[in-house]
Amino acid sequence: MARLADYFVLVAFGPHPRGSGEGQGQILQRFPEKDWEDNPFPQGIELFCQPSGWQLCPERNPPTFFVAVLTDINSERHYCACLTFWEPAEPTQEVVCTEDTTEREEEADEGGPVQLSPVTPGPPGQLFAPKTLVLVSRLDHAEVFRNSLGLIYTIHVEGLNVGLENVIGNLLTCIIPLAGGSQRTISLGAGDRQVIQTPLADSLPISRCSVALLFRQLGITNVLSLFCAALTEHKVLFLSRSYQRLSDACRGLLALLFPLRYSFTYVPILPAQLLEVLSTPTPFIIGVNAAFQAETQELLDVIVADLDGGTVTVPECVHIPPLPEPLQSQTHSVLSMVLDPELELADLAFPPPSANASSLKMQDKELRAVFLRLFAQLLQGYRWCLHMVRIHPEPVIRFHKAAFLGQRGLVEDDFLMKVLEGMAFAGFVSERGVPYRPTDLFDELVAHEVARMRADENHPQRVLRHVKELAEQLYKNENPYPAVAMHKVQKPGEASHLRRAPRPFPRLDEGVVQWIVDQATAKMQGAPPAVKAERRTTVPSGPPMTAILERSSGLHGNSARRLEVVRNCISYVFEGKMLEAKKLLPAVLRALKGRAARRCLTQELHLHVQQNRAVLDHQQFDFVVRMMNCCLQDCTSLDEHGIAAALLPLVTAFCRKLSPGVTQFAYSCVQEHVVWSTPQFWEAMFYGDVQTHIRALYLEPAEDRDHLQGGELSAREDERSALDVASEQRRLWPTLSREKQQELVQKEESTVFSQAIHYANRMSYLLLPLDSSKSRLLRERAGLGDLESASNSLVTNSMAGSVAESYDTESGFEDAETCDVAGAVVRFINRFVDKVCTESGVTSDHLKGLHVMVPDIVQMHIETLEAVHRESKRLPPIQKPKLLRPRLLPGEECVLDGLRVYLLPDGREEGAGGSGGGPALLPAEGAVFLTTYRVIFTGMPTDPLVGEQVVVRSFPVAALTKEKRISVQTPVDQLLQDGLQLRSCTFQLLKMAFDEEVGSDSAELFRKQLHKLRYPPDIRGTFAFTLGSAHTPGRPPRATKDKGPSLRTLSRNLVKNAKRTIGRQYVTRKKYNPPSWEQRGQPPPDDQEDEISVSEELEPSTLTPSSALKPSDRMTMSSLVERACCRDYQRLGLGTLSSSLSRAKSEPFRISPVNRMYAICRSYPGLLIVPQSVQDNALQRVSRCYRQNRFPVVCWRSGRSKAVLLRSGGLHGKGVVGLFKAQNAPSPGQSQADSGSLEQEKYLQAVVSSMPRYADASGRNTLSGFSSTHVGSHVPSPRARVTTLSNPMAASASRRTTPRGKWGSVRASGRSGGLGVDVGSRLAGRDMLTPPQANGAPPDPGFLRPQRAALYIIGDKAQLKGVRPDPLQQWELVPIEVFEARQVKASFKKLLKACVPGCPAAEPGPASFLRSLEDSEWLTQIHKLLQVSVLVVELLDSGSSVLVSLEDGWDITTQVVSLVQLLSDPFYRTLEGFRLLVEKEWLSFGHRFSHRGAHTLAGQSSGLTPVFLQFLDCVHQVYLQFPMEFEFSPFYLKFLGYHHASRRFRTFLLDSDYERIELGLLYEEKGERRGQQACRSVWEYVDRLSKRTPVFYNYMYAPEDTEVLRPYSNVSNLKVWDFYTEETLAEGPPYDWELAQGPPEPPEEERPDGGAPQSRRRVVWPCYDSRPRAQPDAISRLLEELQRLETELGRPPERWKDTWDRVKAAQRLEGRPDGRGTPSSLLVSSVPHHRRSLGVYLQEGPVGSTLSLSLDSDQSSGSTASGSRQAARRSTSTLYSQFQTAESENRSYEGTLYKKGAFMKPWKARWFVLDKTKHQLRYYDHRVDTECKGVIDLAEVEAVAPGTPTMGAPKTVDEKAFFDVKTTRRVYNFCAQDVPSAQQWVDQIQSCLSDA
C-alpha cells in the first residue's frame, strides 16, 4: 500500500530577487509542512511547474495540466502533477514587471502552453499572473491527479460550498495498493467519486496510449532508431510545444525498453533555466519545449526528435548501430503490420471489408508486444551464461558476455555488444539473474516461447497472432476488469476562466489539513500492515541458446571429415606414430581454422590427461604445442568460443621432462597470444570456476545422503545447473539457523579465496616469459602495457598498487630487466585479484593476505622458469631444412647470408596450387640472401606432398620498387611473425615471413642493407661498376681505376673538376674534349690529318676559341665517328665521311661536330645531322627555342621517299608557337625580330628545302628577301611556296585567301588500307574540315603535293593551343594529346599490382585481373604510342618529313621516333639494327635511364618510370602481329626489359653520353679484352651468348625487303606481355644465362643410363619449370643433337649459326632443280600482303599432310605431298652432311694476333692462319670460323719489321710484341700476345718468304 499523494503545493508568481524582467516561482503553501520520513520534499518544484519561466500575461489563458517527473538522489521518481491557472496580477507584481511588457508578451506567446480557446483581454493594462496547484506523488496515476486538481480548481472558481482544506486533507491521506489488479474507489469529500485501477504485476510498465502516440508522431524507422539509441546509451532529446506530449513520448520510449530499465538522466520536461543540463557528458532522455529549439542547435552529439514535425535528426558524429539482421527487418515488417493492417490488402483486386482497427490503447499494447518478442529473441538463452559467484548471504551474479556473443554468432555485431556493455543490462543481470524470485511475462516468454517464435519466423499471420496474444496479456495487466465504474468529478463551466474570479485563490488553513493528516496516520499505525506475500519461484532457464542466424563457416562446411583428421592425428601423436602424424599435420592446421575442429581438439586432448598431468616425449610435446598455438592463433581477446578457456587446464597438464627434476609445461610455449593478457578473459574464467566449486559445495552433502537410494537420484543431481542449486538454497535460507547461515557464508568465502590463489598461479604461468630477461613479450602484448595506465579495478585506490610498488623497491638487487617483467605481472595479477575479490565479497583480511602472496608466487615461478630455460636451451634443436646456397654470378658477392624465412603465396594462385591445379609450391621454407646484385630466396615447399623441389625466386636489387613491412602467420606454426613484402619492376614479388629465430634486429639490418644497395649514393656504387673492379682475372692490377687514365689525361684540356659538374646544369665554357678510347700521350700520326670534313666556313663562335681543330680534338672526333650513330648515318646516306676536306655540296645534310664539347646540348650526342645550309654558329641560337636546348636534328631518312624524321624537345613559349600565336602583334615584324625565332624559322626552312622533292618547287631557299613580305596584301603565287612567317599581317591575309582547313589533309595512303580514317584529324581530336576525296588516297605523288605539307610538326596539344596553321603549307602542326611521364609511372604501378597482386583477389577468376589491368591504363598508353607511330610512318611513307617534338624530347619522343624507325626500316628489325637503334635513339640522344630508373639515392623520391620498358612492350605488340619480320626472338625483348632495370651492365646507366664520358665509360668498350673478363656491355653479352645458343634468334625470320609495318593499335588487338606474368620457380628469372642450370640440354643427357628419350616422360609444372628448357622447339633440339654428335665424333663443334645458314641455303637450292618447286610467294599469298603472321603452313595433299617450315622468304617447298616429304628427307640429310675434315686446307701455323684496322679502325683480335701451300696469310673472326675475312698475299710482302704501339693498341702488352708487315699496297700493324709468340710469328713468316 502507498499514499496516493505525498505533498500538495501552491506555487505563485513572485518578483525576481535581482529585479530582472522575469519573475520566479514562490511556494505559498505546502501540505503537510513536515517532510514524511520515508519521502522528503523534492527540491525545485517551483522551476518544474512553469518550465518556460514565470511570466505575466496580458490575457487570461485557460488552465493547463501536465505531469513533470523529478528524480531524487536515490533514483526514485516523483510525479509532479501541475495545474496552472491565471489571476489578475497584484499591483506589486505589476510594478516589477512593467519595464518591458511587450518583450514578455512575445515570450509568453512563444513559451506559453497551447491556447485552447479564444482569450479576451481584461481592462487595458491589466496583467495576469500564473498560479499552480502541484500534487507530488511516487505513483503514476495521471488521470486521478488531473481529476483531483481539477476538482480543487472547480471548487475555487465555481465557489462550491466545500471546504478546500477537507478535500486536500482527504487527498493526502488516501492510501491505495501498488499492484495486484484490485480497484479502489476514493472520494475527496466533495460529492465526487473516482476509481483507481492498480496493475496486475508491478514489474511491467504502464504505458496507456503513449507508445501508440509515439509511433503516430514519428513513424516506425524513427522510433526504431530512438530505441537503438537509448539502448546503446546515446543522448535523446524530444521537442514539442506540448508538455503533455513530451512526458507521454518519454514514458512510451521507456516502456519499449522493458525488460531493461533506463538508468541515466530522465527528465521528460526540462525547465528553461536548466537547459545547460543538455551539455552533460552522460546519456539522457530529456524533453524540452520546442520554443527553445534554437538553444539545442549547437549540441553536436544529441539525437533530436521533433514530435510536432515527426523528424529525428542524428548528428554526423553519432553512429547508432542497428539491430542485428534478420531481427531488424523482421521487427520492421511486424510493426508495419500492426500499425497499418491495410497495407497487406492494398493491392488486392477484391479487398475484404476493412477490419476495424484496434483501439489506440490496444494498438499500444500490440506495439509493446513486438518489442517484448524482440528482446526475447535477442536475449534468448541468457540464463545459460550467468555465473553464480555467491549464493549467500546475497546472490552475486556475473554474465559471461563473450560466451553469449560467441554462441549467438553475434561477435561482430555492434548493437548487441554495446547493449551488453551498458548500464541497463548490468541492472538487468542483477535484477533478473537472481534464480529465486517472482516471475513475469518476460521470463515466461524467454523461457518457453523461443521455439515457437523461431517456427513462426516465416509466417507473418502466426507472428501477428502471437503479438496479439501478448498484447492481450499486457492490456489485461493494465485493465484487469473490463467494466470500470464511472468517475464522478465536478468540472468548471464553459469558459469559466474568462469570468472575473470572485477572489484570488484563498490561503488555506494549515491546521485543519494537518489535523486530518495526523488522524489518518494514527489510524494507520493501529492497523496491521497489509503485506501481500510475493509468489517467489525458481526462474525457468529455457532451452540452451542457438545462433541468431546460422552462418555456415564457409570453407569449413564439411567438418565431419575434418574432425576425423584432427582425431586421427592426435591419436597418432599419443600412440607415437610420428611419421603418420607429420603427414596429417598440415591438414590438421588447416582444419583448425574451423571452430568445430578447435573444440574437437580440446576434447580429444582432455581424454589424454590423467590426474591433471600428461608427460610427453619431445616430439609429442612439439606436436601438441603446435596444435595448441594454431588453435589460439584465431582466438580473439574475448575468447567468445571458449577455446582458450578449454585449453587453460591443458597447458598446465601437458609437460615433458628436460632433465631430472626439471619439467617444462606446455604453457611456456603458448604465451604469445593476446587472449592471455585480457583481464575480461581471466575474470570470466575465474567466475566460471568459482561457480563450479560453489555448486559442488551444495551438491556434496546431497550425494552423501542419497547414494544409498541407488544411482538414479545422484545422476539427476549431476544434471542440476548451478542456478537450480542456488534457487533451492535461496528458498531454504530463511529456514536455516543463524549458525548454519554463518557456516555457509564462510565456506563460500573460502572457496572464492582458494580460487583466487589458484588463478594468481595460473596467470603467472601464462604471463611470465620463459626467458625472463626478455621483457619483449610483455611490452608487445596489448593488455599489460595498457593496463598499467588504465586500471579497471573497482577498488581504485587499492592495495594492489602499493604492494606492487613496494615489491619493486624491495627487489633492488634483482636484474633490472627481470624486475621489470615481474613488476608488471605482479601489478596485473593484483588488479585482477582486487576486482574479483571485491565483487565476490572476500573479506579485507583475506584480500591483504592475497596481496602479500602474489609477489612470492611470481618470484617462485621466475626461479622455476630459469631452470627450465637453461635446460631447454640444451635440447637438440629441431631439424630445420638445410639452407640451400644460391648460385651466384661471377663477381656477385653475398652481402647478407641467409635469413630463415617462409616465402608465402601472393595473389597469383599458380604457385600455391590454386584452381589451375599443380602442386602447392608455396608456402616454401628457406632463406633469403642479399647479394651485391640480387635478392634471392631459395627453399623447399612446406607441403610434404610436393616433394624435394627447390623453389627459387629472385630479382635484381636495382629493380626493387616497394618494400613494405607486414605481419603474417607462418605457415607451419601459425604464429604471427614480422614479414616483408618486396616488389620489383621485373614483376617478382617476395612476400616473406621471418622465422622466429630471426631477430627483429637482423630483419632491420636486412632492410637497411637492401635500401643501401638499391639506392647507392653515386652511380659508381652500382653492381655494374663494382663488378670486377677490385680484381679481374687475367689482368695485372692497374694503379688506377678503370676510368683513371682517360680522365687524368683529359684533366688538362677538359672542364676542370668534372665530378663536381656532373650534377650541374651548365658547364663553364672551356675547351671540352671527350676522351678517346686509348691515349698514350704521344702526338697523333700525320696521316690522321683529314678525318672528317669539318665545315670550312668556321665562323668564330662561342664553341671553339680558334677556328682550327687541335690535334687532341681530332682524336675526340675519331672517337665520335666510331660511335654507333655515325655508322648508321653512313648507312642511311645522311652524312659523308670522306678523307678530303672538300664536301659534296649536293648532299642536303651534313654531320656537324658543333656539339662535340656537349656545350650546346648536354643530352645530345657529339655529332649531329643538320641541314647543309645551316651554319654551326646559328645552331646555338636555334637551340634556345627548345626545351633542354634539344633543337631539331635528323635521325633517319626514308630510302624510298627521301623524307626525313627529325626529333627535338618541345618548344619554349617563344619560337614557332610564338610566331603562330602572335597574329595580332601591333607592329609588324618587331615582336618577332628576336634573333632566336628568326634563326629557328630559317632552320625549319632549311630542313624543308633539304628535301629533294620540295627544293625544286621552292625557288630560292634563302630568306634574304623577307622584307618584301611586309606588304599586307601580298598573296604568294602558287610557284613561290616559300614565304617567311615573320610578318603577321601577311600571314593573316594569306589565311583569308586560303580558306582550306589543313587538319584534314593528313590522309593515310599506302598498301595497308588499315588506316582509312583521316589520321591527322583523328589524332588532333578534331572533325575533318574538308570532305575526303571520292577516290580516297590519290595515286600520283605529284598530285599529293598541293595537299601535303613538306614538314609535319607533331607536338603536344597543350603546347600548341591556339596555333593557326601555316597558310603556305610548308610545315604544319599536328597537335596530339600524349600522356606524361608521371602517368606512365602511375600506370606502371597499377600494372605491377594487377600482374603480381600482393594478396588473393576477393573474387577469384580472370575477371578481377582484367579489371585491374584495365584500371592501370597501360594498354591504353601503348595504343596511343602505336597510333602516333603509325601516323608518322604514313606521313614519311607519303613523302612528307616529320618532326616529333613532344615533352622534353627524351621520353615519349624517343619512344615514337624509335618505333617509327622500327616500323619503317627492316634493318632495325635485325639483331644488329635493333642494337644500333637503341644505342642511337635511347643512349646517344640522352634518354635519362638513371633518372627514370631511380638508380641512385638522388632519384629515390622521383620513383621508377619505365619508359624504355613501355617501348619494348610496343615492339613486342608489333612482333606478335608480324612474327616473321624480326630477326630477334621475344626472349631478346624480355632480356633487355629485365636488364635495363637490373644494373648488371653499364649500358643502361647514366642519363647521356656526356655523363658516360665523364665517367670514362663511353669508349672503354672499344678497348681490347683479355681472357674471361666480365661483360660490361649488354650488347657484348648478347653477342657472346648468341655464339653459343640460338636463344635470341627467331627461326621464323623471313623478311620482305620493302615491308613497312603498320600494326593494328586498338586495345583489342593488344596482348598482355607474358614477361609480366610468367615465372619459373625452379631457377628464378631466366635472364642471367650463367645461372640457368647449364645450357638447355635434352633431359636424357642428365641420366646416366642414357635410355631413349622417347620413353622418358616428365611432368612440366606451370610456373615452376621453364617450358622452353623442358620442351625446346624442334630446330633448337636438332641443333643441340648436332652439337652432341659432333662432340661424340671428337670434332670441334661448329657454331649453330653457320649450321643454320648452311641448312637454309641448302634448302633453297634443293627446291629449284625439282620442277615442282613453288616460290614461297604462293605459299604466303593467301595471307593479306601486309600481315604474314606465322611461318608455319599446313599443306594438304592426297597422301597425307606434312608440316613444312617456311625458313626464308625465297625458300621453296614441294607442291605435292610426296615432293614435300622428299624435301623434308633431304633437308635432314643435309644437316648431317656437313662434316668435312679440316685437312682440305693446309694450315702451316695458326694463332691469335691483334691487327690494326684500316684508316680510323681500332685494333681487333683475329685468328690468323699461315698457309705455306697457297702462300698466303688468312684471318678469321675466331678459331672455328669457316669463312675467311681477309687474305694477305705473301707474294706482295716487302719486309717484316719490329713495330711500335700506335694509338688504341692493347695496353698491357710489351712493346717488343709489336711487328709490321709491309706490302706493296700498305703497312699492316700486328701485335702478338707476348714477346716469344711475336718472335715465332716473325720467324714463320720470314721462313715462308724465304721458301718462296
Side-chain angles (χ1 to χ4, degrees), residues 129 294 492 551 713 852 925 946 1028 1082 1146 1266 1712 1729:
R551 293 187 178 88
L713 226 147
V852 174
E925 184 176 4
V946 176
Q1082 62 201 55
S1146 60
F1266 77 89
R1712 282 181 190 145
H1729 182 51

Side-chain angles (χ1 to χ4, degrees), residues 800-853:
S802 55
V803 177
E805 280 156 24
S806 64
Y807 169 72
D808 276 2
T809 45
E810 281 163 20
S811 56
F813 307 107
E814 305 263 339
D815 172 31
E817 284 285 316
T818 53
C819 130
D820 174 11
V821 176
V825 173
V826 168
R827 285 193 289 277
F828 184 75
I829 296 176
N830 273 336
R831 280 199 194 95
F832 166 79
V833 162
D834 258 349
K835 184 171 193 302
V836 297
C837 290
T838 323
E839 287 180 3
S840 322
V842 173
T843 59
S844 59
D845 295 342
H846 273 159
L847 192 54
K848 272 186 190 151
L850 267 173
H851 280 311
V852 174
M853 284 162 72

Side-chain angles (χ1 to χ4, degrees), residues 286 565 1192 1202 1451 1541 1597:
I286 288 179
V565 170
K1202 298 298 181 214
D1451 289 329
Y1597 178 51

Side-chain angles (χ1 to χ4, degrees), residues 1691-1754:
R1691 304 191 181 279
E1694 191 178 33
R1695 275 170 56 200
W1696 70 268
K1697 188 80 171 77
D1698 301 337
T1699 313
W1700 174 248
D1701 291 344
R1702 195 171 316 134
V1703 172
K1704 268 175 38 174
Q1707 198 168 15
R1708 245 180 247 149
L1709 294 169
E1710 206 165 81
R1712 282 181 190 145
D1714 227 356
R1716 288 178 297 238
T1718 54
S1720 70
S1721 52
L1722 291 182
L1723 216 132
V1724 207
S1725 59
S1726 61
V1727 189
H1729 182 51
H1730 67 290
R1731 188 159 296 280
R1732 298 178 311 127
S1733 292
L1734 281 172
V1736 179
Y1737 302 95
L1738 209 57
Q1739 293 183 326
E1740 292 294 339
V1743 189
S1745 63
T1746 62
L1747 195 65
S1748 153
L1749 265 164
S1750 151
L1751 294 173
D1752 209 334
S1753 53
D1754 56 350

Side-chain angles (χ1 to χ4, degrees), residues 6 104 154 520 534 539 1108 1115 1127 1173 1321 1327 1505 1620 1746 1808:
D6 290 319
R104 266 193 318 291
T154 308
E534 285 186 301
V539 181
M1115 285 179 194
R1127 297 211 299 282
S1173 55
S1321 66
D1327 297 332
T1505 314
Y1620 304 152
T1746 62
F1808 279 86

Side-chain angles (χ1 to χ4, degrees), residues 213-220 222-223 226 237-242 245-246 249 288-291 293 304-313:
L213 288 170
L214 184 63
F215 272 95
R216 282 197 179 174
Q217 287 157 355
L218 292 177
I220 297 178
N222 282 340
V223 177
L226 285 183
L237 176 66
F238 286 104
L239 294 178
S240 174
R241 296 209 306 281
S242 152
R245 282 196 176 181
L246 286 176
V288 168
N289 192 318
Q293 187 164 3
V304 181
D306 180 0
L307 295 171
D308 307 342
T311 60
V312 169
T313 314

